Amino acid sequence: MSRGWEAIRADVLRRIQAREWGPGAAIPTEEALCREFGCARATVGRALRDLAATGVLERRRKAGTRVALQPVRRATLEIPVIRQEVEGRGQTYAYRLLADVMEQPPLPVLLRLRLPAGVALRHLTCLHSAGGQPFVYEDRWLNPAVPGGQQPDFAAHGANEWLVANMPYDAGDIAFSAAGAGADDAAAFGIDPGTPLFIVERTTWTADTAITCVRLAYMPGYRLRMTL
Amino acid sequence: MSRGWEAIRADVLRRIQAREWGPGAAIPTEEALCREFGCARATVGRALRDLAATGVLERRRKAGTRVALQPVRRATLEIPVIRQEVEGRGQTYAYRLLADVMEQPPLPVLLRLRLPAGVALRHLTCLHSAGGQPFVYEDRWLNPAVPGGQQPDFAAHGANEWLVANMPYDAGDIAFSAAGAGADDAAAFGIDPGTPLFIVERTTWTADTAITCVRLAYMPGYRLRMTL
DNA sequence: TACACAAATATGTCTGCACATAATCCCGCC
DNA sequence: GGCGGGATTATGTGCAGACATATTTGTGTA
């Protein structure tokens, strides 16, 4: 065994996987473990905290540390910027703005952004392509009332890239789903309406102000991969 | 400001969002910051380490700490056990085993599990339902050569629940996609073939041994939500 | 000029100690 | 027996100092 808190983490994980400490069972206290490993309590604590963060252990004050009854599989998804995703595949990226108008959004968008009825938002649609083929069709509603004032035109660069570079980010949510291609999607990709598409919907907030609400339709057959 | 390393993390994050420290810029050293905050270096380090873990900062020895040029949005997905997902919605969960046979898997499954041609795997199909309605159609290939010997029958409980409770877990990957319902899917859900479905595919390994490869087809309209 | 090596430096980790905090446990009381 | 409240206890956080490690940077040499 090498050394350090990572070694302790590895050893604890090994014992859990070997069922030495079964699911739901309490493991020794930090004090007992640091006596066993011959290190400071902080070092054991670091290892156990890390295992708790990945869902392997559950810790509670006074109650002690126990093996998670139901090892939650947590996966971290790195949400890609489309340009980088395309270029990471070795394909050439291209971006084309299809429309940029002010209009009243449909009700679902208003609800998601928690805005009153009647307001007009900036409505952008654009197409990201990879190696000449349509890759993602983007349909975005942008709140013009966001701080920072001046909003650029997005003819050259994608709105997302402008946002990540210029807007402080607070919170948001993402949803994945499948949907049949609508008329717009079908036109953008040159496919039949109803073709199953992978859909990503994102809403972004900064301090109670809705920034943007975007729907990304990926090309047919797209797979989003994550590693555990 | 309250106190503790979380307060420091919040303050650093605030300055980044306020563009006090712009993207790509180096921020003061731990030493400088702990002088400013009037705390120990370990405390500042904890805050900065956490921000680095979430992708806001990038840290390198000697080079120092700088604001991530491209703030990677990392989202953590807690992969739900289907039973819990259903019960969490307040619906009654039901599980039904549709088939359980040994057979040779199709080539894509063999490739994903890195198994030689000709081997037979246990092939399970089952249906999870929520509130009496079909919820997920599961198509699973299970390696019978996994250690632990005896494999139970899955008539009563889902294979996934048996696995998480009995198999040590090492690594795996997940992919999300959209696909039109095949004949099996259509029959399971009582829908037309070709209806867009949200598909999750998972492969699980333990120490170079493939355990299982599963395809989950979710009911039409299903949305997988994550929080950033 | 180009390259190898050494000094400088910021982060990474560990120790040992202290106190804070939240549960649980247990004892006494009704 | 049931219940409330304080003692107990394991984890959470903090501090000051030390050494380890990875890079960078500057220097000297071929």
Side-chain angles (χ1 to χ4, degrees):
Chain A
M1 194 196 320
S2 55
R3 250 184 281 168
W5 66 272
E6 293 191 271
I8 295 177
R9 179 184 61 182
D11 198 61
V12 170
L13 186 59
R14 182 189 57 73
R15 293 195 209 180
I16 292 169
Q17 294 188 339
R19 296 258 180 283
E20 198 170 320
W21 296 325
I27 76 172
T29 68
E30 288 191 351
E31 199 139 352
L33 286 174
C34 76
R35 250 181 286 123
E36 176 187 337
F37 285 109
C39 67
R41 190 169 78 91
T43 308
V44 170
R46 187 111 153 72
L48 297 187
R49 193 193 314 145
D50 193 79
L51 286 171
T54 64
V56 175
L57 293 177
E58 282 174 8
R59 318 193 72 195
R60 267 161 57 224
R61 277 172 165 147
K62 159 73 182 177
T65 303
R66 47 189 59 238
V67 180
L69 209 46
Q70 217 259 252
V72 184
R73 268 97 156 102
R74 284 203 191 85
T76 57
L77 171 68
E78 305 215 342
I79 298 145
V81 174
I82 295 173
R83 152 176 257 127
Q84 296 188 339
E85 187 177 8
V86 169
E87 289 174 348
R89 299 176 173 207
Q91 296 180 298
T92 62
Y93 171 80
Y95 163 82
R96 191 154 57 91
L97 182 64
L98 301 178
D100 181 355
V101 293
M102 293 291 295
E103 57 182 328
Q104 293 193 5
L107 192 58
V109 171
L110 278 180
L111 290 176
R112 285 165 60 91
L113 294 176
R114 285 180 234 162
L115 290 173
V119 300
L121 300 181
R122 191 168 178 188
H123 187 199
L124 300 160
T125 56
C126 51
L127 187 65
H128 305 261
S129 50
Q133 296 297 314
F135 183 61
V136 173
Y137 175 69
E138 174 179 332
D139 185 313
R140 181 185 295 271
W141 295 87
L142 194 55
N143 191 347
V146 293
Q150 200 66 3
Q151 286 188 11
D153 74 302
F154 295 116
H157 304 296
N160 191 46
E161 300 189 23
W162 180 82
L163 282 166
V164 302
N166 292 281
M167 293 307 300
Y169 158 83
D170 261 345
D173 66 280
I174 308 187
F176 303 109
S177 59
D184 288 356
D185 305 317
F189 287 111
I191 56 177
D192 293 329
T195 305
L197 295 178
F198 184 72
I199 306 292
V200 175
E201 286 162 302
R202 274 210 264 167
T203 310
T204 312
W205 299 79
T206 183
D208 273 16
T209 313
I211 302 180
T212 183
C213 174
V214 62
R215 172 186 179 276
L216 302 173
Y218 281 76
M219 59 175 287
Y222 175 79
R223 283 161 54 91
L224 177 68
R225 253 171 283 258
M226 309 173 66
T227 311
L228 289 179
Chain B
M1 194 194 324
S2 56
R3 249 183 279 166
W5 66 273
E6 293 190 274
I8 296 179
R9 179 184 61 183
D11 198 62
V12 170
L13 186 58
R14 183 189 57 74
R15 294 196 207 178
I16 292 168
Q17 295 187 339
R19 296 266 182 283
E20 198 168 318
W21 297 325
I27 75 173
T29 67
E30 287 191 352
E31 199 139 353
L33 286 174
C34 75
R35 251 181 285 122
E36 176 187 337
F37 285 107
C39 67
R41 190 168 78 90
T43 308
V44 170
R46 189 110 147 72
L48 298 187
R49 191 193 314 143
D50 193 80
L51 286 171
T54 65
V56 175
L57 293 177
E58 284 175 6
R59 318 191 71 192
R60 267 161 58 223
R61 277 170 168 153
K62 159 72 183 177
T65 304
R66 47 189 60 236
V67 180
L69 209 47
Q70 215 258 260
V72 184
R73 269 97 154 100
R74 284 201 193 88
T76 58
L77 171 69
E78 305 216 342
I79 299 144
V81 173
I82 296 173
R83 151 175 258 128
Q84 296 188 338
E85 187 177 8
V86 169
E87 290 173 347
R89 298 177 173 206
Q91 297 180 295
T92 62
Y93 171 81
Y95 162 81
R96 191 156 57 91
L97 182 65
L98 302 179
D100 181 356
V101 295
M102 293 291 295
E103 57 182 327
Q104 293 193 4
L107 192 59
V109 171
L110 278 179
L111 291 176
R112 285 165 60 93
L113 293 175
R114 285 178 236 163
L115 291 172
V119 299
L121 300 181
R122 191 168 178 188
H123 187 198
L124 299 160
T125 56
C126 50
L127 186 65
H128 305 262
S129 50
Q133 297 297 314
F135 184 62
V136 173
Y137 175 69
E138 173 178 331
D139 186 312
R140 182 186 295 271
W141 295 88
L142 195 56
N143 191 347
V146 292
Q150 201 65 3
Q151 285 186 12
D153 74 304
F154 295 115
H157 304 296
N160 191 45
E161 300 188 22
W162 180 82
L163 281 166
V164 301
N166 292 280
M167 294 306 301
Y169 157 86
D170 262 342
D173 66 281
I174 308 188
F176 303 108
S177 58
D184 288 356
D185 304 317
F189 287 110
I191 56 176
D192 293 329
T195 304
L197 296 177
F198 184 72
I199 306 292
V200 175
E201 287 163 302
R202 276 210 265 168
T203 311
T204 312
W205 300 80
T206 183
D208 272 15
T209 313
I211 301 179
T212 184
C213 174
V214 63
R215 172 185 179 276
L216 302 173
Y218 281 76
M219 59 175 285
Y222 175 79
R223 284 161 53 91
L224 177 67
R225 252 170 284 256
M226 308 173 66
T227 310
L228 289 177

